[in-house]
Amino acid sequence: MVNLSSFPLVSLVLIYLSAPGAILVLCAEEFSRNDFPPDFVFGSGTSAYQVEGAAFEDGRTPSIWDTFAHDGNVHGDTGDIACDGYHKYKEDIQLMVETGLEAYRFSIAWSRLIPNGRGPVNPKGMEYYNNFIDELIRNGIQPHVTLVHSDLPQALEDEYGGWISRKVVKDFTAYADVCFREFGDRILHWSTFNEANIFVLGGYDVGITPPSRCSPPFGAPNCSKGNSSSEPYIAAHNILLAHASAASLYKNKYQVLFVNPLVFGDYPNIVKKNAGTRIPAFTNLESQQIKGSFDFLGLNHYATLYIKDNPNKLKMDIRDFNADMAADMIPMHGDTPPDQFPITPSGLVGVLEYFKQVYGNPPIYIHENGQQTRRNSTLDDMPRVNYLCGFIGGLLDALRNGSNSRGYFTWSFLDVFELLDGYNSAFGLYYVDFDDKDLKRYPKRSAHWYSNFLKGMRIGPDAVFEAETISSLSQSHSSQ
């Protein structure tokens, strides 16, 4: 199936054990894994640049994320080593088994598999992904694969501008063909792009993510090239065409997120009206190719925003995508600490209901959902436990109301290099000690909770979770 720093720091780490104890878990109603359909899949995920490391090993070449991070754009952090998943994948898969994961979502690094973006395949890259996939399956874990998680090979960005050129469609399709041919006998769930909407806005409108393109008066002050008014639309258009091309290849030869074109074959009328000639048009053939070019949709959901109408934005002489929306987005924080997301399961339920009513209730996998905390916080991560409990309970409500949801993946399995915050924030079920040469993993309370849920433990509004012995960790930083 196809989806679519200036001063040196010394880190002082203290690890200690806390006694087992009883803690209150806040859920709206009682439920367990057994309340979900047997074929509904629960998992967790990461992505290649964020977890693999081995950035300069075995033939891998830079992606646009390597370039962006090495330019100092993420607090000086990089994914050069990350969690060293490239070398520690067997250890990590055993953690997945112990946790009880039914599925694991990961991405393939295009520049590890095809170093020049096109042309010869890297045997070492092929060997790694084959071994990784085989190890997952050998341990009873269903692999779900994303082809591009924001990490276009730098070679293609240098050659023709990457996603703002139609040339990328052909190269992406050839890359997808290699993946389908070499791994498709074991991979049943493919996603073409992760968060394509966030990628084009961050990379081509406001310039805060690679390839860091934008133009005044919009975006980051350090953008040296780009056009915020038109390039987000061009990049999105080419991503849709690339998706459709790969989906057609998959369906015709081997057996997807921009929903309106995928379902109806064109952009919404209001989008075409507000963007005008800045948004490319589909030919009739392209429209036919894109329409219905998915077997399921992948949905990433973290938080809910208020939307307020602001038609004055349409009076601006120069507009970007955000102005074209003619709306203001207002965060919902309330009493939630600023470094965490509010727990608003009703937002996810509402989105799933919208998909049901407007888009014909397509199959949906919740590909990312997770709570952000600061990386130097305790392993006793009750905010994450309550977040997962709330959202999984909300998802169950949506299923009972007819949602065609098929799976749920927490973000993230490990504390990884976060694409918007480096190593300052964390989403993982497992803490990774980046100051330890072996990058040892430690389970957080959320890992124990998720494991117990997956193994049939019932959770209720007044449930008391009998915690196993949990390693708690505090970390302080001082400069010298």
Side-chain angles (χ1 to χ4, degrees):
M1 295 188 291
V2 181
N3 176 16
L4 216 221
S5 74
S6 297
F7 303 97
L9 297 178
V10 172
S11 177
L12 305 176
V13 180
L14 173 65
I15 300 175
Y16 62 95
L17 295 179
S18 64
I23 57 174
L24 183 65
V25 177
L26 304 177
C27 294
E29 61 172 310
E30 185 175 281
F31 63 88
S32 79
R33 168 66 179 95
N34 298 327
D35 291 313
F36 290 80
D39 58 351
F40 188 96
V41 65
F42 281 94
S44 191
T46 58
S47 81
Y49 185 72
Q50 296 178 264
V51 74
E52 284 182 3
F56 312 106
E57 292 185 39
D58 292 343
R60 182 191 181 275
T61 62
S63 72
I64 58 175
W65 256 107
D66 292 271
T67 302
F68 184 80
H70 277 266
D71 283 344
N73 289 298
V74 197
H75 316 300
D77 296 335
T78 75
D80 291 358
I81 301 175
C83 302
D84 197 26
Y86 186 77
H87 298 109
K88 298 173 73 68
Y89 72 90
K90 290 186 177 181
E91 173 187 331
D92 290 336
I93 290 174
Q94 285 309 303
L95 287 180
M96 297 176 202
V97 172
E98 293 169 14
T99 306
L101 293 193
E102 300 162 4
Y104 182 68
R105 175 175 174 254
F106 64 98
S107 71
I108 293 173
W110 186 345
S111 65
R112 189 184 297 283
L113 191 64
I114 306 177
N116 294 322
R118 71 161 75 88
V121 174
N122 175 20
K124 287 290 188 179
M126 182 75 71
E127 179 183 23
Y128 167 70
Y129 289 114
N130 270 316
N131 289 343
F132 185 79
I133 293 167
D134 288 346
E135 189 73 9
L136 285 171
I137 294 172
R138 187 180 301 116
N139 285 277
I141 299 172
Q142 189 180 106
H144 288 235
V145 177
T146 301
L147 293 174
V148 176
H149 198 116
S150 305
D151 52 350
L152 180 81
Q154 185 65 43
L156 301 184
E157 183 71 26
D158 293 341
E159 182 180 342
Y160 53 67
W163 295 110
I164 58 173
S165 169
R166 286 285 184 106
K167 295 179 180 180
V168 76
V169 176
K170 180 179 179 180
D171 288 338
F172 172 76
T173 306
Y175 158 61
D177 194 11
V178 171
C179 293
F180 296 154
R181 181 179 69 242
E182 300 296 335
F183 312 129
D185 59 327
R186 290 152 292 163
I187 304 298
L188 299 179
H189 300 81
W190 295 94
S191 298
T192 48
F193 300 92
N194 179 77
E195 293 185 346
N197 56 335
I198 302 299
F199 172 72
V200 298
L201 293 177
Y204 297 90
D205 188 347
V206 294
I208 60 172
T209 60
S212 193
R213 298 177 66 93
C214 62
S215 61
F218 311 105
N222 60 341
C223 283
S224 60
K225 54 188 175 182
N227 187 322
S228 295
S229 291
S230 62
E231 285 190 357
Y233 293 113
I234 295 170
H237 194 78
N238 291 334
I239 286 173
L240 282 165
L241 294 175
H243 160 82
S245 178
S248 177
L249 168 73
Y250 183 81
K251 292 185 176 182
N252 293 329
K253 187 175 180 181
Y254 301 98
Q255 136 359 308
V256 253
L257 9 111
F258 304 79
V259 182
N260 240 73
L262 296 176
V263 176
F264 303 124
D266 201 2
Y267 300 110
N269 288 330
I270 188 64
V271 174
K272 293 191 289 185
K273 177 184 177 181
N274 290 354
T277 59
R278 290 178 287 118
I279 189 169
F282 295 115
T283 66
N284 289 334
L285 180 61
E286 290 170 343
S287 179
Q288 293 171 15
Q289 188 179 28
I290 290 173
K291 184 177 180 179
S293 62
F294 65 95
D295 299 302
F296 67 91
L297 296 173
L299 173 64
N300 294 2
H301 183 94
Y302 290 94
T304 300
L305 302 172
Y306 292 110
I307 301 295
K308 181 180 180 181
D309 184 39
N310 187 353
N312 288 328
K313 288 188 174 182
L314 296 177
K315 300 177 182 178
M316 298 168 59
D317 293 331
I318 301 176
R319 298 199 301 272
D320 65 347
F321 173 84
N322 290 307
D324 287 340
M325 284 196 303
D328 295 326
M329 292 184 289
I330 306 166
M332 294 177 60
H333 256 298
D335 297 330
T336 305
D339 57 356
Q340 297 175 17
F341 294 128
I343 302 175
T344 54
S346 60
L348 174 60
V349 174
V351 170
L352 294 175
E353 181 67 21
Y354 184 85
F355 274 97
K356 186 178 74 173
Q357 295 187 14
V358 177
Y359 296 112
N361 206 16
I364 291 177
Y365 286 84
I366 313 303
H367 269 170
E368 292 183 22
N369 178 247
Q371 179 63 284
Q372 172 181 264
T373 57
R374 302 310 297 169
R375 228 199 127 258
N376 60 354
S377 59
T378 177
L379 294 182
D380 197 5
D381 59 341
M382 277 307 299
R384 182 167 293 107
V385 169
N386 284 319
Y387 181 99
L388 296 177
C389 193
F391 276 95
I392 294 174
L395 177 57
L396 180 58
D397 290 340
L399 283 166
R400 289 170 170 169
N401 199 37
S403 170
N404 197 12
S405 299
R406 304 289 183 87
Y408 173 91
F409 294 76
T410 65
W411 184 268
S412 53
F413 186 64
L414 305 175
D415 285 346
V416 298
F417 172 89
E418 283 298 332
L419 297 185
L420 296 179
D421 205 25
Y423 300 109
N424 281 14
S425 61
F427 288 79
L429 302 174
Y430 287 83
Y431 175 88
V432 178
D433 186 355
F434 292 107
D435 299 299
D436 173 44
K437 64 181 179 63
D438 294 323
L439 297 172
K440 187 172 181 178
R441 283 80 158 121
Y442 296 91
K444 303 178 188 178
R445 191 179 294 275
S446 57
H448 292 289
W449 181 89
Y450 198 43
S451 179
N452 277 280
F453 164 75
L454 293 175
K455 297 171 184 177
M457 175 182 176
R458 295 198 68 78
I459 305 293
D462 300 315
V464 174
F465 173 46
E466 292 294 340
E468 303 175 27
T469 299
I470 291 179
S471 299
S472 295
L473 180 149
S474 63
Q475 178 172 316
S476 61
H477 297 276
S478 62
S479 60
Q480 67 174 18

